[in-house]
Amino acid sequence: MGAGVNPVLAGIACRCPKCGEGPLFSGFLTVAPQCEACGFDLRKADSGDGPAVFIILIVGCIVGFGALITEVAVHPPVWLHLVIWLPLTLFLCLALLRPFKGVMIALQFHHKASEAGGKDV
Ligand SMILES: [Zn+2]
């Protein structure tokens, strides 16, 4: 393993961007200090708050349109909207945060790696 790892797929699977095998996270959103499989230093790769911004935009879009379409099509009472969309928003945010952060870290690593080395082009 090594050169053939797709950074996006590794990120979605929450795996190490270098070898695609070791887990990327040690907690829910805590990036592991290093990869268990290849020893790659993952602390440098922390993407900070980057993913949260994308998640808010994407989830806001999905939930906003979903609520609008449901309102027009079914015209449910307001409490039903809240019961559906609030948990869904929370669920989508939590569900997307890890793979998104994984992909961002992987892309970050990918671009830095190609800038620094450039030997396996
Ligand atoms: Zn690794």
Side-chain angles (χ1 to χ4, degrees), residues 16 18-22 35 37-40:
C16 161
K18 191 174 184 200
C19 66
E21 288 185 13
C35 172
C38 70
F40 178 64

Side-chain angles (χ1 to χ4, degrees), residues 48-66:
D49 291 333
V53 178
F54 283 97
I55 303 289
I56 289 164
L57 288 175
I58 291 170
V59 173
C61 208
I62 295 172
V63 172
F65 273 105

Side-chain angles (χ1 to χ4, degrees), residues 68-110:
L68 201 67
I69 290 165
T70 314
E71 173 63 29
V72 171
V74 194
H75 203 75
V78 174
W79 65 263
L80 193 61
H81 271 302
L82 295 179
V83 166
I84 295 171
W85 300 113
L86 285 183
L88 187 69
T89 307
L90 197 66
F91 171 77
L92 282 176
C93 286
L94 293 177
L96 288 172
L97 212 42
R98 272 175 73 121
F100 238 81
K101 188 166 179 173
V103 170
M104 284 198 111
I105 290 172
L107 288 177
Q108 210 173 20
F109 163 73
H110 188 68

